[in-house]
Amino acid sequence: MTASIQASRAETVTHYQMYIDGAWTDGRTPGRSEVENPANEAVFATVPAGSVEDANAALEAARRAQPAWAALPPIVRAGYVQDLAAAVRREKDHLARIVVLEQGKPLNQAEGEIDAVVTFLTFAAESARRIEGDIMPSDFPNEEVWIRRAPFGVVVGLTAWNYPAALAARKIGPALVAGNTMVVKGHESTPLSALEIARLAHEVGIPKGVLNVVTGDGRQVGDALVRSPLSDMITMTGSVRAGREIYAAGAHELKVIRLELGGKAPFIVLDDADIEAAVEAAVVSRFTNCGQICTCNERMYLHRDIAEPFLDKFIARVKGMRLADPMTNPDMGPKVNRPEVDKVEQIVNDAIAAGAEVLAGGHRLTEGAFARGHWFEPTVLRVDTNEASVMQEEIFGPVAPVMTVDSFEQALAFANDTSYGLSAYVYTNDLRRVMRLSRELSFGELYVNRPCGELVQGFHTGWKHSGLGGEDGKYGFDGYLRKQTTYVRW
């Protein structure tokens, strides 16, 4: 694999392999899947079309490796992860370009994603000395109660396509430092970033079987990973639909399931807000990564007293955004694939048919420099009712639906009127409103007077249909450990 990648970087198409039990393999069955550049639809890589047999081989390798890996002191496991972080840092330019090619985000945003990979891995490694337990007195003489934290065993990581490198690292770091071994499967549209991380894990000497990366169809390979009795815990980032299927598939074996799913984040701007700051945050939080972020600004509620001046500035910013080859650092790149841009186009057309007013954009781009690729204009829609599907269904694209509200209470009620509960935004300078929102908004992550972007020491968690469990910080790390109680009498 290592030699193959380096020899093929100058070629038209790079042929990747899966990484199972410390070795590179084309898999148990013939066939390969193509990886497309979203900006121009050019096939630039292929990966093995993995099978159930490949999934089982990876799980068996992880199972064999886990006891010896867990027996290492946590600080030793962390040393391997620190070395992996250093290797990622050294290859930042190459890894960022892989992200651009397979996912389509602008190069500077891809570079930020690789910085996040380093941060996730480093924070996990630093947590090695923070694995704590408890000693408690017993009700009986000459006895104590010990509670220790232990790894689950084999963890399966299923990642989404919007941040293929960062989401893999977000799971790999804490899982490995906690003493678990791992099988990772990236999304079919973006399988390369996880394979590149596996290449670096191999180079820094992470023992065979500790980290395995497979490719293939989610309904076949992913399902086999979830259902197998060899996997103990499933951590997945993706859609609500996929989360429900994984939750059901893991039920028979009573798997521990952690799901980070979709969102429909409200962006509330109240009458006392800093308009300039709110406009900038609304643009960043909606159109970064072409709106393909689970915590994105998905629907906007503007207080009537500031709605028009806000929209004047916001629409001017949106209309001034530059779309171009992601390698040139435009404001926005393409959608990740054809089904995704088809979905966004249908959402916008349906909203217009239902009465939405187009304030900016509104169209798929198909001519000139955009004749190939999956391009959609940054779009703003004015909507009159919170029941509109564009205000209720996740868009996950560069479309900002906007409503005017008459009061703080109405904004709060509309914001909570959703089955999602991942993130929410509010711009206000009234501390009383902030305190009410923190208590009454039914979302796991709130941004007050700032744009999107969670920090590694926080806790990224969804409520309601947005997920179970969470990632990041001490609470996310603790999720990769289970508890064992021992009663000790002497």
Side-chain angles (χ1 to χ4, degrees), residues 206-272:
I206 290 179
K208 70 176 186 177
V210 170
L211 176 62
N212 308 270
V213 178
V214 298
T215 56
D217 180 71
R219 294 187 182 277
Q220 181 182 23
V221 177
D223 185 72
L225 293 171
V226 172
R227 291 183 186 276
S228 172
L230 294 174
S231 58
D232 300 296
M233 173 184 168
I234 313 299
T235 170
M236 174 268 193
T237 303
S239 68
V240 174
R241 176 201 56 77
R244 287 190 175 114
E245 292 177 0
I246 288 167
Y247 201 44
H252 179 71
E253 295 290 338
L254 300 178
K255 299 293 176 69
V256 176
I257 307 286
R258 294 162 62 90
L259 303 172
E260 197 269 278
L261 307 177
K264 190 66 180 174
F267 193 102
I268 301 169
V269 185
L270 296 173
D271 52 343
D272 65 333

Side-chain angles (χ1 to χ4, degrees), residues 460-484:
H460 179 60
T461 182
W463 292 8
K464 299 189 286 188
H465 287 181
S466 288
L468 304 165
E471 302 278 4
D472 302 341
K474 64 180 182 180
Y475 301 111
F477 183 84
D478 193 54
Y480 288 89
L481 293 159
R482 55 185 170 180
K483 300 175 183 67
Q484 181 186 66

Side-chain angles (χ1 to χ4, degrees), residues 365-435:
L365 299 175
T366 58
E367 298 180 355
F370 307 110
R372 296 186 64 81
H374 311 302
W375 301 90
F376 201 92
E377 290 181 297
T379 296
V380 183
L381 303 175
R382 191 196 298 269
V383 182
D384 291 331
T385 173
N386 202 47
E387 284 70 44
S389 61
V390 75
M391 300 298 287
Q392 294 294 326
E393 298 174 9
E394 186 177 34
I395 304 167
F396 218 63
V399 179
V402 181
M403 278 189 65
T404 300
V405 294
D406 294 320
S407 65
F408 165 79
E409 285 73 18
Q410 188 179 44
L412 176 59
F414 283 172
N416 277 333
D417 182 20
T418 176
S419 60
Y420 293 97
L422 185 57
S423 57
Y425 302 81
V426 61
Y427 268 77
T428 180
N429 288 308
D430 188 332
L431 183 59
R432 292 169 298 180
R433 288 172 167 175
V434 172
M435 296 307 293

Side-chain angles (χ1 to χ4, degrees), residues 6-259:
Q6 293 177 348
S8 301
R9 282 181 185 167
E11 298 173 5
T12 303
V13 178
T14 301
H15 301 292
Y16 282 76
Q17 296 174 299
M18 290 184 284
Y19 185 65
I20 298 175
D21 202 17
W24 298 104
T25 176
D26 286 326
R28 272 65 178 170
T29 57
R32 301 188 68 81
S33 301
E34 296 178 337
V35 183
E36 175 192 280
N37 182 340
N40 57 24
E41 301 179 67
V43 173
F44 71 96
T46 70
V47 298
S51 64
V52 171
E53 290 78 10
D54 297 315
N56 291 335
L59 290 170
E60 289 165 0
R63 177 63 67 194
R64 287 193 299 271
Q66 200 275 328
W69 179 250
L72 294 175
I75 198 66
V76 175
R77 300 193 295 262
Y80 284 107
V81 175
Q82 285 279 25
D83 290 345
L84 178 57
V88 170
R89 188 182 293 110
R90 287 193 300 271
E91 293 214 14
K92 175 179 175 178
D93 291 345
H94 170 63
L95 296 174
R97 288 180 176 274
I98 291 293
V99 169
V100 174
L101 287 172
E102 69 173 342
Q103 198 273 330
K105 60 169 58 74
L107 179 60
N108 56 355
Q109 294 179 29
E111 290 169 343
E113 178 171 349
I114 302 307
D115 288 339
V117 170
V118 175
T119 300
F120 285 135
L121 295 174
T122 301
F123 185 90
E126 292 168 348
S127 300
R129 289 194 172 98
R130 305 188 189 114
I131 300 174
E132 299 176 348
D134 298 283
I135 298 177
M136 294 174 286
S138 171
D139 294 351
F140 305 104
N142 300 325
E143 184 176 273
E144 287 183 338
V145 182
W146 298 351
I147 299 178
R148 62 182 288 268
R149 282 172 167 79
F152 284 97
V154 176
V155 172
V156 167
L158 305 173
T159 62
W161 47 258
N162 58 331
Y163 282 89
L167 292 175
R170 192 181 218 168
K171 300 174 187 302
I172 290 168
L176 266 55
V177 173
N180 303 287
T181 53
M182 199 164 196
V183 179
V184 175
K185 194 195 86 68
H187 190 274
E188 298 91 306
S189 293
T190 57
L192 305 184
S193 292
L195 290 168
E196 292 279 356
I197 291 172
R199 174 177 63 85
L200 297 178
H202 183 83
E203 291 179 5
V204 303
I206 290 179
K208 70 176 186 177
V210 170
L211 176 62
N212 308 270
V213 178
V214 298
T215 56
D217 180 71
R219 294 187 182 277
Q220 181 182 23
V221 177
D223 185 72
L225 293 171
V226 172
R227 291 183 186 276
S228 172
L230 294 174
S231 58
D232 300 296
M233 173 184 168
I234 313 299
T235 170
M236 174 268 193
T237 303
S239 68
V240 174
R241 176 201 56 77
R244 287 190 175 114
E245 292 177 0
I246 288 167
Y247 201 44
H252 179 71
E253 295 290 338
L254 300 178
K255 299 293 176 69
V256 176
I257 307 286
R258 294 162 62 90
L259 303 172

Side-chain angles (χ1 to χ4, degrees), residues 329-343:
N329 285 327
D331 295 311
M332 199 177 82
K335 285 285 291 175
V336 70
N337 56 37
R338 184 170 297 279
E340 278 293 314
V341 77
D342 287 346
K343 182 193 76 173

